[in-house]
Amino acid sequence: MTSAIVSAINILTKPLRESSLHDVPSSHQQALSAALRANRAFLLEQLQREPSFEVVRRLREEVMEEADWFSSSTDDAAWDFAQECLLLLLTLARHLSAELRVFQQTPAASALKYCTPENAPPLPPDVLSVTQQKMLGTALQFVVSLGLCPYLDPGVGVPLGHRSTFAAMVEKLVCNGAVTGVGCRLLTTTKVLLQLTELSSLATLVFTRHLGDVMAALCQLGYQPHQKERSGTKEQKDISAEERQTCREALESLVGKVYQPIVIKELLILQGGPKQSGAKRTSSGSNSRAALGSAPAWLRHVCGQLLSKRLMQPNGVQAVVRAILGGGTGDESDWRKCESVARILVTCPQQSTSIESYYRDVCPQILDLLHFKDKLTAQQFQRVATRAVLLMVQERPSFAQQYLLTPLFSPLHRCTTTSGKDHSSASVEEWELTRCLEDMYKICVVGNSPSDTFLKALEQVLPILFTLFCFTKQNVSHLRAPCQEILLWYLRCTEKCAALSALWQLSGLQGENNKLAAVLCFSPGSDGGARPFSRESCSNEDDALYEKLSEEQWRLECLMQLLVELKDSDLPGDFFLDLLQQLTSWAAAEDEDIEDEQQLDISAMTLLEVEQQLLGRAARQGHRLALLQVLAVMVESLHHTILLRKSTQVVDFMVTLLQRACVGLDQATGPSLGNPVENQALSMGMGLVATMLSGPQLSAEDYSSMSRLLLPLEKLSQMHSEVVIQELASSLRAVIATHSAYRPEDLSTAAPPSRNSPVGKKQKMQTEADNLQSSPHSPPQDSTSQTNTQTGQPMSSQKSAIGVSQNDGGMNSGTSDPCPPTKAFSDLLLESCDQDIPTRAVALRILTQMVKNGNPEAVKAQEEVLQLLLENLGHEDSFVYLSAIQGLATLADSYPEKILEKLIKEFQHGPSLPKSNKEHSLEARLKVGEVLMRTSRAMEMYTFIHRCRLLPRKLPTSTSGAVLPKVTSTCRPG
C-alpha cells in the first residue's frame, strides 16, 4: 500500500514525454503550466483506470472529503498541482499512521517469534527506502515552490529567484497580484506540512530541507500586521485571529522541539542581511545571508525575540555558537566569526526581562564552552568563550566579577577554606583544580587581553597559585606549566607598582603569604594533578623550625626561577632596587630605634606593654633578616645582566649604595676599621660610576639620571674617613655636575681599564712604581684598577678579590695610616675561623695590620698567626686565601729570619697538613710561591741579605718537571 501511494506521487511529479504535449508552448512559463496540467490529468486517469490504485483512489477521496480547503475547479495550474501533491502526501500520512498504530498494538509475544539470532527485528511501517524518500522529497519541493514560497511577502525568507533557475521560473509563473485568498493558500500549505511532521519519518524530510520556509510562513501568518493591498482595495482579512494565534503557537512549538543550532541558523537567515549593491552571490542554491535583502521590521523583531529565548535557555549559548560557526576551518574568517559571536553573547538583548537575569543565565554557559574535548570544536568554543569573558570584563565589570570571575576562581578560593577547616567539609577535588587552572590559562595566556578588573581578581588568588607552583616544582605534574605561565603573564601585564607588591608578597616580606604557606599544602593527585589539605602542626619544635626554614628557602628559589624567565623585563631589577632601598631606610631608622630603646623607661610600663615592645622589636628584626635572605638569594641566583639590565638601574643601584654609605657616616664619630667590607664595596661602586662616565657619548638623559648621585657624593667627599674615597667622590661629583666638561686626572685610575690595554698596563706600572718609591718596606696600595685582574677565577672569586691584587698585599682602604683594632686579639683569632667568608677575611686582614704595626700580642703569637694563615691558604674563596697571602707576605717582610724558612719549606715539599692531597698540594705550593714572590719584591735590596735562604731552595724547584712551580720559582728570584 505504501508503495502504491508513493508510485502515484511519482506519476504526478515525473516529467512526461514531449510527445504527450499536443500544443507547442510559446514560453517557458507556458510550458511549465502545460506540464503541470498534463501530469495531474495523467495521474487522475491512472487512478481511475488501474486496479492497483483502487485503494489509493479510495483513500484520496476520503482525504479530499475532509479537506475543506480543496478546490477542484481553479484556473491556476500551479495551485491545482500543489493541491494534488498535498492530497497524496496526506493520504500517505494517514496510511502510515494507521499502520504504525497496528504495529504498536501488536502483542510482544507474537513479535518475538520473528526475532531469531538470524533475523533482525521488524522495522516500523513508517520506515521509507532511499528511493521512496527521494520521490517524497521531490513532491515536497513542488509543494513549497508552488504553494508556499510564492505567497510570502518580499523580505520574508529566501526569495525563489535566489535558489535555482527552476525556482526563478516558478516565481514568474505565479502572480500574487492576480490571485485572491493568498493568505488562505499559504495557511493551507503550512497546516498540511505541519500535519505531515507528526510522523517522524516525514518530519525528517520536511525539516531537513524546508524548515526555514515553514518558519517564514508561520511568522508571516502569525505576526504580520494587517496591510492594504498595493492596488488600493479593501484591507485583507482572510485569516482570523484564532488562526493567527494558532500559527504563533505552532511556531513556538516548532522552534522548541527542533535541533536548536538549526533553528537559530534559520532565524538568523530570516532576520535578513544588509542591502546588497552589486555584491556577488556565493552560490546559486545557497541560503546564506549574503543573498538576502533587508527583512521587514516586524520580522526582525519577531526573530530577535525568538533568538533571545533560544539564547537564554539551557545550553542556548552552545546552540548559538554551533549555529553561527558550524564546521569552521580555523582560518581568519573563523576568528572574525568568533569575535562576532562573543559580542552577541556579551550584549544583553532588548527582549530580556532584566540585565542581571540575562547574565546570570548566560555566564555559566560561557564558562562551559571552555570544557569541550573535541579538538576543532574546543578550539572554536575556546575562542568564543575567551573573547566573551574578556569583553564582558571590560564592558560589564560588575556582572563579570559576580557571574564569571568568582565561579572561575572558586576552586582556588576554596583551597584557603580547606586549609582552615576539616578536609572533608570543604574539599576541592583534583579535577576541579585542574579545570580551574586550564580555564585560567586559556583566558589569561591564550586570550592575552589584560584588564584592571581581571588583574585585580587574579591578584587575590596569586599566593595560592604560587604555593601550588612551588608544589609542582617538587613533583612531576602537568599543572606546572599553566601555573608558571599564569604567574608570568600577571607579572608582565600588570602595572609596575602592583607587580612589585606581588613580588613582596610572594617573597614572604609582605601580606599574609607566610601565614597561608604555614597552613596550606598540596598532595599529589591520582591523575597527575594536586589536592589541597591542611598542614598538621609538628610537635617537635626543631623539626617544625627546620621544615619552615626549608620551605621558605624553596619558595624563594621558585620565585627566583620566575624572575629568571623575566630576563627581558625590568621587573627583576626594579624589585632588587626596591629591596635595597628598603634596606637603606631600615639602616637609617636603626639609630632612632636604638635611641628610643635607650630612652624607654621599662619600670614605668606594665608587663603587657613590655611584652608588646619586645615582640615588636623581634618582629622588626625578623623582617630585616627575611629581607637580607631574599637579597642573598637574588644575588646568588640571578645574573647581574638580569638585575641591572639598564643604565638607569645601575644609577639607581649606586644611589642606594651611596645613601647607605652616608647613613654609616652619620653613625661614625671618627675613623674606624669596623666596616672594611663596606669600604671595599663603596670603592668598587665608585669605580663603576667612573667606568660609566668614561663611556663614549653619554646622553643628556644619562647625566640627568646621574644627577641624583650629586647629593650623596657631596656628603661622602666631606665626611668620609678615607682620603682616597673623599677625593674620588669629589672628582665624580665634579664630572657629573659639569657633564664631563671637567675631567680630573685621577678619574682614569678609578675606572678599571682593559687588561690588555697598553694604557692600562702603563698606568698600572706607574702606580706600582710610585707606591714602591714612597713606601719601600710596605706593600703598595691597591686601586680599583685591579677589578678585572681575576678573570680566570669564578664569579665569587672575582667579587671577593677586587680589593686584593695579585701584585700587592695591601687593602683597598685608601689610607696609609691604619686604624687601631676595635676588637681583642683573641676575638680576632676566633673570627678568622668563622664560617662566614666576609667575617673571616676581615679578621685575617686586621691580624695582618696588627702584625705589621708591631702589636705585642700579635708579635708574641707569630707561630699561631702563621699557622692560621697557612690553613686559610687552602680556602676555596679568593677573598679568604688572598687575605691569607697578604698576611703571609707581611709576616715574611717583617720577620724574614723566622718566616722565610717555614715558607720555603712549605713551597718545596707542599703543605704539612695531614688532609692535603696531591691536587691541593700543588695549589698550596702555588699560593706559597705567590707569597715568596711578593716578599722578595717588597724586600728589594734586602733580598740580597737573604739570598742564602732563597736561592738554594728555589733553583732546584725551577729545574723540576712541574710547570707551574717552575714558573713561580723563576718569576722573581730576588
Side-chain angles (χ1 to χ4, degrees), residues 71-364:
S71 177
S72 57
S73 59
T74 61
D75 296 333
D76 191 347
W79 178 243
D80 290 341
F81 190 86
Q83 286 187 114
E84 198 62 42
C85 289
L86 292 175
L87 284 176
L88 292 178
L89 289 174
L90 285 176
T91 302
L92 177 64
R94 172 173 292 190
H95 168 71
L96 292 178
S97 298
E99 292 291 330
L100 190 60
R101 284 194 299 269
V102 174
F103 178 80
Q104 293 174 350
Q105 294 174 359
T106 303
S110 60
L112 287 176
K113 64 181 181 180
Y114 299 102
C115 297
T116 62
E118 294 80 10
N119 297 330
L123 292 175
D126 63 338
V127 176
L128 303 174
S129 66
V130 176
T131 304
Q132 292 173 344
Q133 291 180 12
K134 185 177 180 181
M135 295 177 183
L136 294 179
T138 303
L140 290 172
Q141 187 175 1
F142 272 109
V143 170
V144 172
S145 300
L146 299 177
L148 191 146
C149 290
Y151 306 114
L152 295 175
D153 285 353
V156 180
V158 181
L160 283 175
H162 291 162
R163 302 189 183 192
S164 65
T165 304
F166 174 76
M169 185 169 56
V170 171
E171 186 179 24
K172 295 178 181 179
L173 175 64
V174 180
C175 180
N176 292 341
V179 177
T180 59
V182 173
C184 291
R185 290 185 178 184
L186 181 61
L187 178 62
T188 297
T189 305
T190 305
K191 289 175 63 177
V192 172
L193 290 176
L194 291 178
Q195 189 175 352
L196 294 177
T197 58
E198 294 177 359
L199 284 173
S200 59
S201 57
L202 298 181
T204 303
L205 297 176
V206 174
F207 289 150
T208 52
R209 294 191 179 184
H210 309 291
L211 176 63
D213 297 322
V214 175
M215 292 173 61
L218 289 174
C219 288
Q220 180 171 324
L221 292 171
Y223 294 95
Q224 182 187 26
H226 292 288
Q227 297 178 355
K228 292 184 179 181
E229 294 181 338
R230 295 180 181 179
S231 58
T233 59
K234 63 178 181 179
E235 184 179 0
Q236 290 184 345
K237 292 185 179 179
D238 50 356
I239 300 179
S240 63
E242 292 78 6
E243 291 174 335
R244 291 171 61 86
Q245 182 62 30
T246 303
C247 291
R248 293 176 183 177
E249 295 175 356
L251 179 62
E252 290 288 343
S253 175
L254 178 62
V255 299
K257 66 182 181 180
V258 180
Y259 183 56
Q260 292 301 292
I262 298 179
V263 172
I264 293 173
K265 185 176 182 180
E266 295 298 337
L267 288 174
L268 291 174
I269 294 175
L270 285 178
Q271 272 191 325
K275 293 184 178 181
Q276 303 276 324
S277 58
K280 297 183 180 180
R281 294 193 298 268
T282 56
S283 62
S284 60
S286 174
N287 286 349
S288 64
R289 299 185 68 184
L292 297 178
S294 178
W298 64 266
L299 182 58
R300 286 182 175 272
H301 180 71
V302 171
C303 293
Q305 285 183 331
L306 294 175
L307 285 171
S308 300
K309 292 180 180 180
R310 305 278 76 71
L311 179 61
M312 289 182 288
Q313 284 183 347
N315 298 324
V317 172
Q318 181 185 149
V320 171
V321 176
R322 290 184 183 275
I324 298 179
L325 297 182
T329 58
D331 55 5
E332 183 179 358
S333 60
D334 285 342
W335 281 98
R336 295 178 179 177
K337 287 182 180 179
C338 293
E339 181 75 19
S340 302
V341 175
R343 291 195 173 275
I344 291 175
L345 298 178
V346 171
T347 304
C348 179
Q350 297 178 354
Q351 294 79 10
S352 178
T353 56
S354 66
I355 298 179
E356 185 174 0
S357 63
Y358 171 77
Y359 288 120
R360 184 175 58 248
D361 296 336
V362 170
C363 288

Side-chain angles (χ1 to χ4, degrees), residues 44 47-48 53-67 70 84 87-88 90-91 94:
L44 296 177
L47 291 177
Q48 295 294 333
F53 289 145
E54 182 178 356
V55 180
V56 177
R57 178 174 54 82
R58 180 171 52 83
L59 288 177
R60 174 181 174 276
E61 290 176 355
E62 293 178 0
V63 172
M64 186 172 56
E65 290 177 1
E66 296 178 0
F70 182 77
E84 198 62 42
L87 284 176
L88 292 178
L90 285 176
T91 302
R94 172 173 292 190

